[in-house]
């Protein structure tokens, strides 16, 4: 939630954020009031990883459209009619397998590293780019992650791309 346009009550004694960055918090105004602002980078990393994987699975398998299709099937239809409708319609939702496709990850901190590991376990190839990677983050990366030299390389060489960098000016 963007707190810049909010009126923050005088009763607020501290503001914390689960995740990296504080760009959505009026840090300067809070500091002037003596209200500390802090974050917990990585606290939501697993949740973000799961959402990224869910998004890739939904996109690759056309799950949203397939769910809408199932909702159009007539209630109370006999088995033969329902089987024919499903058989006729399911070809539109075949999708692709993630295995052997390339995931580009821009930003290889805690979240990027977790996503890389999960994608590799799904059989994906992973291409990563992070010019500001820390030594600790590099140590936590799976060895199968190939290093990209630029964002452009990631975009040209990947079937899927996920971005995990702080918002900076």
């Amino acid at each position: 939630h963007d707190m810049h346009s909010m009126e923050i009550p005088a009763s607020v004694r501290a503001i914390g954020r689960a995740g990296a960055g504080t760009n959505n918090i009026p840090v300067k105004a809070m500091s002037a009031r003596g209200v500390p602002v802090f974050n917990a980078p990585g606290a939501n990393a697993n949740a973000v990883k799961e959402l990224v994987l869910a998004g890739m699975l939904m996109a690759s398998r056309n799950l949203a459209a397939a769910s809408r299709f199932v909702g159009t099937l007539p209630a109370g239809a006999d088995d033969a009619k329902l089987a024919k409708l499903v058989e006729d319609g399911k070809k539109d939702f075949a999708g692709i397998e993630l295995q052997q496709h390339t995931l580009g990850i821009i930003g290889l901190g805690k979240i990027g590293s977790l996503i890389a590991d999960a994608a590799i376990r799904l059989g994906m190839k992973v291409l990563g780019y992070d010019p500001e990677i820390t030594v600790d983050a590099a140590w936590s990366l799976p060895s199968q992650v190939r290093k990209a030299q630029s964002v452009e390389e990631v975009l040209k060489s990947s079937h899927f791309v996920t971005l995990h960098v702080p918002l900076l000016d």
Side-chain angles (χ1 to χ4, degrees):
H1 183 74
D2 186 353
M3 297 177 69
H4 289 278
S5 59
M6 287 178 60
E7 184 173 328
I8 299 172
S11 60
V12 170
R13 298 286 178 236
I15 299 174
R17 177 168 190 263
T22 55
N23 55 293
N24 58 340
I25 303 169
V27 175
K28 191 173 185 178
M30 293 298 99
S31 295
R33 284 177 38 181
V35 175
V37 174
F38 54 93
N39 64 352
N44 62 348
N46 192 66
V48 173
K49 172 199 77 175
E50 289 177 359
L51 288 170
V52 168
L53 293 173
M56 289 192 313
L57 289 166
M58 289 178 68
S60 67
R61 290 301 188 162
N62 301 318
L63 292 179
S67 180
R68 285 190 298 273
F69 167 72
V70 169
T72 68
L73 296 172
D78 64 60
D79 288 348
K81 181 177 181 179
L82 196 55
K84 177 157 179 29
L85 289 171
V86 169
E87 192 61 35
D88 291 346
K90 73 179 184 180
K91 63 185 172 294
D92 295 331
F93 311 108
I96 62 167
E97 292 183 1
L98 295 179
Q99 188 174 19
Q100 297 305 312
H101 283 84
T102 300
L103 171 62
I105 303 175
I106 300 170
L108 295 166
K110 182 67 173 171
I111 294 170
S113 179
L114 288 173
I115 293 169
D117 184 59
I120 289 164
R121 291 173 186 264
L122 288 172
M124 296 185 81
K125 300 171 194 158
V126 176
L127 181 62
Y129 177 73
D130 190 337
E132 305 292 325
I133 192 167
T134 65
V135 172
D136 285 342
W139 275 109
S140 69
L141 277 177
S143 61
Q144 298 93 324
V145 176
R146 289 189 358 255
K147 180 183 175 186
Q149 299 303 315
S150 66
V151 170
E152 291 77 18
E153 181 184 350
V154 171
L155 296 175
K156 287 178 183 177
S157 303
S158 303
H159 300 100
F160 297 85
V161 175
T162 185
L163 178 70
H164 303 280
V165 296
L167 179 63
L168 302 171
D169 291 335

